[in-house]
Amino acid sequence: MSVFYFIVHVLIFIYGVSIALWYFFLAILSMIEMRGYLNRNFFVDYNYILSSPFAPGITLIAPAYNEGLTIIDNVKSLLSIRYNNYEVMIVNDGSTDDSLAKLIVAFNLVEVSYAYEQKLPTKPVRGVYKSKNRAFSRLIVVDKANGGKADALNVGLNLASESLVACIDVDCIIEPDALLKMVKPFLQDTKVIASGGVVRIANSCVVEDGRLVEVKLPENWLARFQTLEYIRAFLLGRMAWSRLNGLLLISGAFGLFKKEIALSVGGYNTATVGEDMELVVRMRRRMHENQIPYKVAYIPDPLCWTEAPASAKVLGRQRNRWARGTLETLMLHRKLFFNPRYGLMGMVSYPFWVFYEWLSPIIEFCGLIFFAFLVVMGHVHWVFFISLILAVYGFAFFISMFALLAEETSFYKYIHKKDILKMVLVALVEPFVFHPRVVWWSLKGNWDLLRGKKAWGEMTRQGFAQYKRIYKKEVTTVV
Amino acid sequence: MNASLTIWTELDAVEQFFVTLAAIFFVCAVALIFFLIGSRLIKTYRSKTETRLQTIFQQSLNSLIIHTSTDRLPSSSYQFHLNELRKAMNAYPCGRQVMINLLIKLKKSLSGTSSKMLDTIYLHLDLPTVSKKKLKATSWKIQVQGIRELSEMNYYLPKRMNALIARTKNETLREEIFMAHVRLNKKNPLALLDRYDGAITPWMRINLHRFFSQYDGRTLPDFSRWFEHPREDVVMFCMSMARQFKQFNAVPALVKLLSHKNPMIVASAIRSLSDLEAFHVVDQVVAQAQIHWSNERISLRIIRFIARLGHLDAHTYAIEKYLEHKNFKVRLAAVKTLTSMGENAQKQLTLRNKLMGNRLTLMIGHASEPLLT
């Protein structure tokens, strides 16, 4: 029995040390890449792209399902993005609410005869609408039978007329300069096939006419935990993978792709709920298999703001879906696992995802079960346990502070003086309050996938309108 | 203290290791918190100082610029304002940098004598020394900053920077030196192109186009000079510039490029000929359809070239052939062209559609839709 304990201890110890070292390495690498990015772009005047005839065309594809509450504001926001050569394609994915009717009235839409090539198989398109008002000439609304987000994005890919496609969530707030910044990697290096942007949490931020006018730390604690989590993931994780050219995930909320490559690999996979990661992995695989040099770029600027789930129920559904999406993608592309043919992606990125993204909640849970077993058996050496927990907790806190440092030395978005202290408090509490729940939701997601669950899971949102109202009320009171 | 020491001595080596590790992490984390707070305070102070300095500088600069535009600036007044600027600049360590940044910012929105006045102020305040010092820095970012400042303020770039362009592997630095040369070498801005072995990226193309847009068209370089450059990206860049700046004298050289082995260059040449309205070479352009039939880009360019003729002529047969092209985009472009070419072309299209078993009906509907044009 003691040999068994020893082996388990050693294995868990090796896993723990390796994960800590990896995260530390990624954090350092991220900081280096971030400095490089900021230095490279210190003198860049993005307005040059705005006024240039050489700026490539972009089709913004935004699938919408039952977004009637906010869709008009969201579309207005998309139409006011600063870029000259772009079109906005809203794909109404068979909404059962009044989304389409609202769009028709608000933008004076009429159905048009639109010829397109069905390169990707999708659910039938019921109609294509254009505005009679020249002010909205960039807008195309596509109405189709319900088929899910991936299917709606594929319709967008079929109908897109520009060479680059930006796939976004319609309920996100996109910064006015987002396209100018996202397109730059494509201009600087023709090998770039996709670029991803940072997604930030918009809860409690002041939103006016679909524009973010003031960044605030969320008032809701669950959203606050996610704010820290997003900063850690986007600024410390993905930035490092971008440096290594090993990025496997571009968030579905905002990503820019070369249309021809996305089409050539078959577009989004409708059979998975992790369609964003799956597409990137498939694109990269294709480039490797055809031995074409390529890059997947990443922009650390906060370009896209999303409303984080403010209730545990909705957040649980989201994390469940993320876990299922990750496992589905990893299973679909298991050929990559330690396959030298796929270079860094096969030898490092993919195994990292397997061991430290997918496996970590399972190992954590097993560790807890094992710990409970040891407690029952009376084999716990409590002093050792406390010292170990202290080291782990200290590391988690340190990494969170490192993420805040990355934020402070780069984009410096949370400018209120008390924000630092609030975030420090969040970092102290998070490992006990938030992290265990994330682990549980991930486990449940894996379990649900094994049971054959395929549903997306309803994402109820409160909408940005509430923050606007609060803001206006405050202004009125002050006046 | 004694109690802590007792606990510490009671721990075994592994436990001591973990506790030490935890202490290191906590100390580092706390240090980071202090750093964050310190950084906030410094940023706030710096931002306030810069705003204050900018306001002071702006006042003197405004008077100087206004006087220049009205041509009523006595030397004593100029010296007075200059001294004011010097005093304010030297009062703060960041004063000189704030001044340089402000001058560059103002230069972007000014031209003519006012812009020249800013160059003179830069010189008289001895700011080139600050910029030149940056060229010796080890950090490439500082070097780039120095190069940018010197070139924006129309100073000169030391000759050793020419050698650096060939030596450095840093793309940003190479691009910056290249751009500085273009900005500073007014007589022959693209002189460096002959020996520049870096890529002319689309981003550089945007920057160069922006720069040349501010040029007097008559003094622009003749871009066709580089149409036979060994680097294809240079050829592509020069074609796009010749097209944008309507250099009609480039047409003969563009016709020669129609026989280039790279289809991208052929496509770009056709586009340039189309934009330069060189319709007299329509035969040579249409002849490319035979050679590059399956190439989507070239096919589209040929169709658009014929479309710009705007009427039915002997070459419309080529478009009709494209109606049966395997590529959807090409077929749609051909339909759109025929739809826009008047009644006779539309009749021909209708007839063709019937012969093709109404396979073009949807495309004709699309092409006839006014909201989609």
Side-chain angles (χ1 to χ4, degrees):
Chain A
M1 201 63 178
S2 61
V3 176
F4 170 72
Y5 288 153
F6 178 75
I7 291 171
V8 173
H9 279 148
V10 168
L11 283 177
I12 289 179
F13 183 73
I14 290 172
Y15 184 81
V17 169
S18 68
I19 201 169
L21 287 175
W22 256 110
Y23 278 116
F24 188 67
F25 168 69
L26 291 177
I28 299 288
L29 206 59
S30 284
M31 287 297 272
I32 295 168
E33 178 61 6
M34 184 94 75
R35 293 307 317 159
Y37 173 84
L38 292 172
N39 287 346
R40 280 193 300 276
N41 293 286
F42 187 76
F43 297 104
V44 170
D45 189 343
Y46 290 98
N47 289 322
Y48 288 9
I49 305 176
L50 192 64
S51 58
S52 175
F54 299 111
I58 298 175
T59 299
L60 267 172
I61 307 173
Y65 178 72
N66 289 350
E67 303 276 357
L69 206 64
T70 55
I71 196 147
I72 305 301
D73 276 346
N74 293 334
V75 173
K76 278 182 184 167
S77 158
L78 293 178
L79 287 170
S80 62
I81 284 177
R82 290 178 72 232
Y83 197 80
N84 257 341
N85 190 8
Y86 82 109
E87 63 180 5
V88 176
M89 188 177 284
I90 306 295
V91 185
N92 179 42
D93 187 28
S95 297
T96 49
D97 69 353
D98 56 352
S99 299
L100 184 64
K102 276 187 171 172
L103 284 169
I104 289 173
V105 174
F107 298 102
N108 202 4
L109 300 176
V110 285
E111 195 169 348
V112 292
S113 167
Y114 196 100
Y116 67 96
E117 191 176 18
Q118 181 95 28
K119 283 189 176 168
L120 304 171
T122 61
K123 287 277 164 68
V125 171
R126 296 194 287 228
V128 178
Y129 297 82
K130 285 282 291 178
S131 175
K132 283 199 276 185
N133 186 342
R134 298 302 291 176
F136 305 127
S137 59
R138 291 185 195 283
L139 179 66
I140 300 177
V141 175
V142 183
D143 183 34
K144 67 175 277 284
N146 182 261
K149 188 182 172 188
D151 192 64
L153 287 166
N154 282 342
V155 166
L157 282 172
N158 277 336
L159 269 80
S161 58
E162 303 295 354
S163 57
L164 295 175
V165 286
C167 299
I168 62 164
D169 282 350
V170 75
D171 53 358
C172 284
I173 295 170
I174 306 292
E175 288 277 336
D177 288 349
L179 290 184
L180 296 173
K181 287 182 177 171
M182 285 283 274
V183 86
K184 171 117 189 303
F186 291 89
L187 298 171
Q188 217 149 24
D189 192 342
T190 46
K191 290 200 290 281
V192 172
I193 56 166
S195 75
V198 167
V199 180
R200 290 288 186 99
I201 303 291
N203 300 44
S204 300
C205 293
V206 180
V207 180
E208 287 282 291
D209 298 324
R211 285 274 171 95
L212 194 90
V213 292
E214 191 188 343
V215 178
K216 282 182 173 179
L217 206 57
E219 283 152 24
N220 176 292
W221 270 86
L222 210 53
R224 232 177 239 186
F225 289 132
Q226 291 171 79
T227 303
L228 182 64
E229 192 191 24
Y230 273 48
I231 292 176
R232 228 172 23 219
F234 282 97
L235 288 189
L236 288 194
R238 293 192 199 172
M239 205 61 216
W241 286 115
S242 155
R243 165 95 181 181
L244 296 168
N245 194 20
L247 195 67
L248 293 191
L249 172 62
I250 286 178
S251 170
F254 192 35
L256 190 61
F257 304 91
K258 273 192 179 160
K259 186 180 78 178
E260 287 310 316
I261 294 171
L263 280 172
S264 71
V265 298
Y268 284 93
N269 185 344
T270 50
T272 168
V273 287
E275 77 294 326
D276 44 3
M277 181 179 174
E278 205 280 329
L279 177 70
V280 178
V281 176
R282 202 148 25 91
M283 282 171 74
R284 295 187 68 126
R285 255 186 91 164
R286 174 64 62 90
M287 301 306 278
H288 268 286
E289 282 161 3
N290 294 337
Q291 293 179 335
I292 305 168
Y294 73 96
K295 266 186 193 172
V296 174
Y298 184 71
I299 308 292
D301 295 74
L303 303 177
C304 172
W305 296 81
T306 187
E307 189 192 351
S311 80
K313 198 175 163 187
V314 181
L315 182 63
R317 277 188 216 136
Q318 185 195 51
R319 295 310 161 99
N320 182 304
R321 177 165 52 81
W322 286 5
R324 280 184 285 135
T326 304
L327 183 53
E328 277 175 339
T329 306
L330 293 176
M331 286 198 304
L332 276 169
H333 298 281
R334 56 188 174 274
K335 192 184 172 187
L336 297 178
F337 194 59
F338 283 120
N339 189 338
R341 192 184 163 197
Y342 295 98
L344 187 117
M345 175 172 64
M347 298 302 286
V348 184
S349 302
Y350 185 92
F352 178 89
W353 270 83
V354 172
F355 288 121
Y356 302 128
E357 295 288 345
W358 172 67
L359 209 57
S360 74
I362 297 168
I363 289 186
E364 270 189 63
F365 184 73
C366 293
L368 275 174
I369 299 283
F370 185 61
F371 175 68
F373 169 73
L374 291 180
V375 171
V376 172
M377 298 294 286
H379 287 315
V380 177
H381 185 343
W382 287 100
V383 179
F384 177 83
F385 169 73
I386 290 166
S387 59
L388 183 66
I389 283 291
L390 268 177
V392 172
Y393 180 59
F395 180 74
F397 183 53
F398 168 72
I399 285 289
S400 292
M401 289 306 103
F402 207 83
L404 290 185
L405 176 76
E407 159 72 1
E408 179 72 19
T409 53
S410 55
F411 303 105
Y412 182 49
K413 280 287 170 187
Y414 299 100
I415 53 166
H416 297 289
K417 280 173 191 152
K418 283 182 185 168
D419 286 348
I420 291 180
L421 298 176
K422 281 180 189 169
M423 290 299 265
V424 170
L425 190 62
V426 168
L428 283 169
V429 179
E430 189 214 6
F432 304 108
V433 181
F434 183 67
H435 184 71
R437 297 169 97 174
V438 172
V439 169
W440 174 247
W441 289 322
S442 290
L443 280 171
K444 208 164 168 297
N446 281 299
W447 177 245
D448 283 348
L449 182 73
L450 295 175
R451 284 170 55 215
K453 184 178 174 179
K454 287 278 175 192
W456 184 267
E458 200 183 331
M459 293 294 295
T460 341
R461 295 188 195 270
Q462 293 171 304
F464 296 115
Q466 54 168 330
Y467 309 123
K468 191 162 117 183
R469 275 201 298 275
I470 292 166
Y471 173 69
K472 279 189 173 162
K473 210 169 157 186
E474 277 172 7
V475 170
T476 320
T477 319
V478 170
V479 171
Chain B
M1 186 69 185
N2 280 342
S4 322
L5 205 65
T6 319
I7 294 170
W8 178 253
T9 48
E10 279 174 10
L11 298 178
D12 65 26
V14 181
E15 288 157 359
Q16 279 184 354
F17 170 73
F18 283 130
V19 172
T20 312
L21 211 58
I24 292 170
F25 287 138
F26 277 112
V27 168
C28 290
V30 171
L32 285 178
I33 295 169
F34 280 112
F35 180 85
L36 292 175
I37 294 167
S39 156
R40 275 291 149 101
L41 294 172
I42 291 168
K43 273 180 186 165
T44 315
Y45 169 75
R46 196 185 288 167
S47 154
K48 277 181 186 167
T49 311
E50 284 182 11
T51 316
R52 197 166 50 232
L53 276 173
Q54 274 178 6
T55 318
I56 298 167
F57 294 158
Q58 190 84 55
Q59 282 169 355
S60 294
L61 288 173
N62 282 351
S63 352
L64 286 169
I65 291 164
I66 291 165
H67 278 122
T68 317
S69 60
T70 52
D71 211 17
R72 286 186 284 109
L73 182 68
S75 164
S76 56
S77 171
Y78 178 72
Q79 283 305 327
F80 169 76
H81 284 299
L82 226 52
N83 284 335
E84 289 291 300
L85 287 172
R86 268 194 206 106
K87 245 191 271 173
M89 227 167 55
N90 295 332
Y92 295 91
C94 64
R96 287 170 163 239
Q97 192 54 52
V98 174
M99 184 70 203
I100 295 173
N101 294 345
L102 186 62
L103 288 172
I104 292 174
K105 193 178 151 194
L106 286 172
K107 260 206 98 172
K108 282 188 180 170
S109 51
L110 293 172
S111 59
T113 47
S114 307
S115 171
K116 276 182 188 156
M117 172 54 104
L118 294 175
D119 292 344
T120 317
I121 295 168
Y122 176 72
L123 204 67
H124 287 166
L125 289 175
D126 196 27
L127 294 173
T129 323
V130 181
S131 304
K132 276 198 276 186
K133 216 182 250 177
K134 289 178 185 155
L135 302 182
K136 290 175 188 162
T138 45
S139 151
W140 62 264
K141 189 218 167 183
I142 307 285
Q143 286 185 338
V144 167
Q145 197 175 358
I147 296 166
R148 176 63 68 106
E149 287 167 8
L150 291 168
S151 66
E152 289 276 4
M153 300 314 295
N154 276 324
Y155 201 70
Y156 71 95
L157 211 57
K159 279 188 179 162
R160 63 192 159 84
M161 299 314 284
N162 291 350
L164 190 64
I165 198 167
R167 214 172 53 230
T168 182
K169 282 181 182 168
N170 188 302
E171 278 175 31
T172 315
L173 188 55
R174 281 163 75 104
E175 280 181 22
E176 199 57 43
I177 300 172
F178 183 85
M179 286 306 298
H181 269 279
V182 173
R183 281 192 205 106
L184 294 171
N185 195 345
K186 294 274 189 294
K187 283 184 185 162
N188 191 5
L190 289 175
L192 209 61
L193 208 55
D194 295 321
R195 53 199 162 91
Y196 181 68
D197 59 353
I200 304 281
T201 59
W203 173 242
M204 280 177 83
R205 192 183 296 188
I206 285 173
N207 278 282
L208 288 165
H209 174 257
R210 162 94 182 185
F211 173 76
F212 286 125
S213 305
Q214 293 156 353
Y215 248 60
D216 175 359
R218 290 165 299 183
T219 55
L220 276 171
D222 175 10
F223 291 104
S224 63
R225 216 188 102 192
W226 291 280
F227 281 2
E228 284 173 20
H229 196 279
R231 287 187 62 106
E232 290 179 347
D233 56 329
V234 172
V235 180
M236 294 284 278
F237 158 73
C238 290
M239 273 197 284
S240 62
M241 290 297 134
R243 183 169 73 229
Q244 284 299 322
F245 296 111
K246 301 281 175 202
Q247 292 191 332
F248 297 103
N249 58 336
V251 170
L254 283 168
V255 174
K256 272 189 202 167
L257 287 175
L258 290 176
S259 50
H260 200 280
K261 62 178 189 300
N262 183 347
M264 293 280 278
I265 289 183
V266 177
S268 183
I270 297 172
R271 187 180 171 188
S272 303
L273 288 167
S274 169
D275 286 0
L276 293 172
E277 298 177 346
F279 300 130
H280 59 283
V281 297
V282 64
D283 291 334
Q284 286 102 309
V285 171
V286 174
Q288 298 306 311
Q290 298 286 336
I291 307 161
H292 300 283
W293 174 256
S294 56
N295 187 298
E296 178 193 307
R297 194 185 287 255
I298 294 178
S299 303
L300 287 171
R301 299 277 190 256
I302 293 172
I303 293 169
R304 274 165 207 162
F305 186 95
I306 300 171
R308 291 193 70 160
L309 291 171
H311 56 82
L312 276 180
D313 81 339
H315 299 97
T316 318
Y317 77 92
I319 297 197
E320 285 188 22
K321 276 182 84 178
Y322 277 124
L323 289 175
E324 291 185 49
H325 199 275
K326 62 173 184 184
N327 186 296
F328 174 83
K329 267 195 211 167
V330 174
R331 291 200 303 273
L332 184 62
V335 170
K336 278 183 179 172
T337 301
L338 286 173
T339 313
S340 65
M341 277 183 151
E343 213 174 302
N344 286 338
Q346 283 170 18
K347 275 181 191 165
Q348 275 190 24
L349 181 62
T350 316
L351 194 70
R352 194 84 186 176
N353 186 29
K354 268 186 192 165
L355 289 170
M356 290 172 73
N358 293 326
R359 275 188 287 143
L360 301 173
T361 309
L362 204 62
M363 285 187 190
I364 295 170
H366 182 124
S368 320
E369 180 57 66
L371 293 175
L372 291 174
T373 51

